[in-house]
Amino acid sequence: EKALKKAEVKNLDAYRLVLVNGNINYEYSQLPESDEINIQSIGKTKNDAAFSESINKNIDVAKFPFAALNTAFFEDGYFIEVKKNAQLDKSIYVIHIYSEKQNVFLQPRNVVKIAQGANCKIIETSVCVSNDVVFVNSFTDIFVEENAYLRHAHFQRGNANERWVVHTQVNQAQNSRYDNYLVTLPKADLVRNNLNVELNGKNTETHLYGLYLVSDKHLVDNHSIVNHKFPNCESNQLYKGVILDGGHGVFNGKIYVQRPAQKTNAFQQNNNLLFSPNATINSKPQLEIFADDVKCSHGSTVGQFNEESLFYLRSRGIGEETARSLLVNAFAFDVAEKIHNEALRDYIEVLIEGTIEQAQR
């Protein structure tokens, strides 16, 4: 209950799926009672032929050793299937709780299938209530079928004793849309996010938005791959980083436009704000284009915290911590505004304010 309270989002109206160390806890979950959606444990589906055929279908595990490790040793996780043409009335709020009395290495495996014409919103967050070292190596397979739409948000909040390797593999069929919102906050010693999107059909649309705040002695490492293989597709990627004193951030985004993928629109931007001379960012946006009729761009910016703006706000009677939070929220606005849920936007502002306050102590 303490962990659930920590994960609470004020005014969020959503179904709730609670997992403890990768295992579904039905007592604290509040799942929809509908034939349009199927939610169960991966432990019950991993022996099905359909699951065996789809596992690692679009990933070269030789290039992703942690994904290979997860495939070999996973035991549980969640399976969410939204049926054909289903339109869920509320989001599904997935809460991952990690609780152990000793050092542990956890490897949950998750699968999301959004059937043809369906529409779904999934929000994920993680809470650790262990004082020992917790290493989480998770893998999530997402299948968005023809004319389906999935909005997927992940709020990563860690403790100093946590290490995460989070791999998300997305497969989109023609005329589908996938939106990803990734918010990473300090404290976890290591966060490595691998987000791979395979556009396996014409007229797909993909939007990836990220916001990461990194504090002292912590590393947030974001890697993404968007693979355009068919014509008339669009992808947008905007990641923003705030690197506090002693923090280390990484952004490595790759966009591939294969030869058949004519009429592709692909855009990628990474903007970073450094709070001190001891903050570090490694930014590497990449384009590999093999088609000739495309519109593609990529860019990266790195800037220092604006002391003049801080002075202006303080001269208007605003306290230093509040002024810094306002400036960071203004910097993050381009990402936050893309989240349509007002409760989640307010939640991001609260998390940023708390992060800045702790950094100034």
Side-chain angles (χ1 to χ4, degrees):
E1 293 183 3
K2 181 180 178 181
L4 292 176
K5 188 174 182 180
K6 186 177 179 180
E8 183 180 0
V9 178
K10 188 177 180 181
N11 299 322
L12 178 64
D13 184 22
Y15 299 113
R16 189 168 69 188
L17 175 63
V18 178
L19 295 98
V20 180
N21 296 336
N23 301 302
I24 296 178
N25 184 303
Y26 291 97
E27 180 182 356
Y28 291 105
S29 297
Q30 298 173 353
L31 304 179
E33 297 179 359
S34 171
D35 294 335
E36 294 183 327
I37 184 170
N38 174 28
I39 300 177
Q40 58 181 298
S41 165
I42 277 292
K44 294 182 179 180
T45 61
K46 65 181 181 180
N47 294 322
D48 293 351
F51 179 82
S52 300
E53 290 174 3
S54 64
I55 196 166
N56 293 343
K57 186 176 181 180
N58 289 292
I59 181 175
D60 182 359
V61 291
K63 296 181 179 179
F64 298 94
F66 279 94
L69 191 65
N70 179 284
T71 302
F73 294 105
F74 79 90
E75 293 183 356
D76 220 329
Y78 65 78
F79 174 83
I80 297 176
E81 181 184 18
V82 182
K83 304 296 180 63
K84 185 177 180 179
N85 296 325
Q87 309 290 314
L88 290 189
D89 57 335
K90 294 191 292 187
S91 303
I92 302 172
Y93 187 29
V94 182
I95 303 174
H96 301 274
I97 298 175
Y98 302 116
S99 175
E100 282 289 341
K101 296 181 180 180
Q102 59 184 359
N103 299 340
V104 65
F105 185 38
L106 301 172
Q107 301 196 88
R109 184 82 175 209
N110 311 307
V111 175
V112 177
K113 291 188 176 183
I114 311 300
Q116 181 180 351
N119 190 322
C120 181
K121 297 182 285 291
I122 295 177
I123 305 159
E124 296 190 74
T125 192
S126 304
V127 179
C128 183
V129 291
S130 174
N131 293 321
D132 293 289
V133 174
V134 175
F135 195 124
V136 180
N137 175 35
S138 72
F139 190 107
T140 302
D141 252 326
I142 297 176
F143 301 90
V144 187
E145 300 300 333
E146 185 176 350
N147 293 313
Y149 183 14
L150 173 61
R151 277 172 278 187
H152 182 204
H154 194 175
F155 293 84
Q156 298 176 329
R157 301 172 62 192
N159 292 332
N161 55 341
E162 287 183 80
R163 292 108 168 114
W164 295 346
V165 176
V166 181
H167 191 117
T168 304
Q169 187 74 26
V170 183
N171 305 277
Q172 288 185 247
Q174 65 179 4
N175 299 309
S176 66
R177 176 169 173 174
Y178 174 74
D179 295 351
N180 181 281
Y181 313 91
L182 180 62
V183 180
T184 307
L185 298 169
K187 286 195 175 181
D189 288 342
L190 166 67
V191 179
R192 167 65 181 252
N193 292 307
N194 293 321
L195 176 57
N196 296 352
V197 184
E198 296 284 331
L199 306 183
N200 293 315
K202 299 183 293 184
N203 301 310
T204 60
E205 191 174 341
T206 308
H207 299 272
L208 311 179
Y209 303 105
L211 174 64
Y212 49 96
L213 280 70
V214 192
S215 61
D216 186 28
K217 298 179 182 178
H218 301 145
L219 170 63
V220 174
D221 192 352
N222 287 310
H223 287 244
S224 66
I225 297 174
V226 179
N227 192 6
H228 288 264
K229 297 187 287 187
F230 290 83
N232 299 299
C233 296
E234 178 181 347
S235 69
N236 292 288
Q237 187 171 9
L238 174 61
Y239 270 60
K240 288 200 165 187
V242 178
I243 317 300
L244 305 174
D245 188 33
H248 188 180
V250 177
F251 173 82
N252 183 200
K254 296 180 182 179
I255 295 177
Y256 295 101
V257 182
Q258 308 296 346
R259 191 173 298 278
Q262 305 293 343
K263 305 294 184 182
T264 288
N265 291 332
F267 305 98
Q268 183 184 73
Q269 183 68 33
N270 175 227
N271 300 331
N272 298 280
L273 179 63
L274 305 185
F275 257 63
S276 87
N278 295 323
T280 304
I281 179 69
N282 299 105
S283 180
K284 188 182 180 185
Q286 295 176 264
L287 287 174
E288 291 194 24
I289 303 172
F290 302 97
D292 51 19
D293 186 8
V294 301
K295 291 182 180 179
C296 298
S297 67
H298 68 309
S300 175
T301 64
V302 180
Q304 293 181 330
F305 187 78
N306 193 328
E307 295 292 343
E308 291 184 3
S309 298
L310 179 63
F311 175 77
Y312 176 84
L313 291 174
R314 297 206 64 193
S315 67
R316 286 348 187 232
I318 299 175
E320 183 174 356
E321 289 183 358
T322 302
R324 289 179 181 271
S325 296
L326 287 171
L327 291 173
V328 173
N329 272 308
F331 176 75
F333 177 77
D334 291 346
V335 171
E337 72 164 345
K338 304 299 182 182
I339 299 178
H340 302 287
N341 190 306
E342 185 177 354
L344 291 181
R345 290 200 304 271
D346 294 341
Y347 183 57
I348 289 176
E349 291 186 6
V350 170
L351 293 177
I352 289 175
E353 289 173 5
T355 299
I356 300 302
E357 288 177 4
Q358 291 181 0
Q360 300 307 310
R361 290 173 185 170

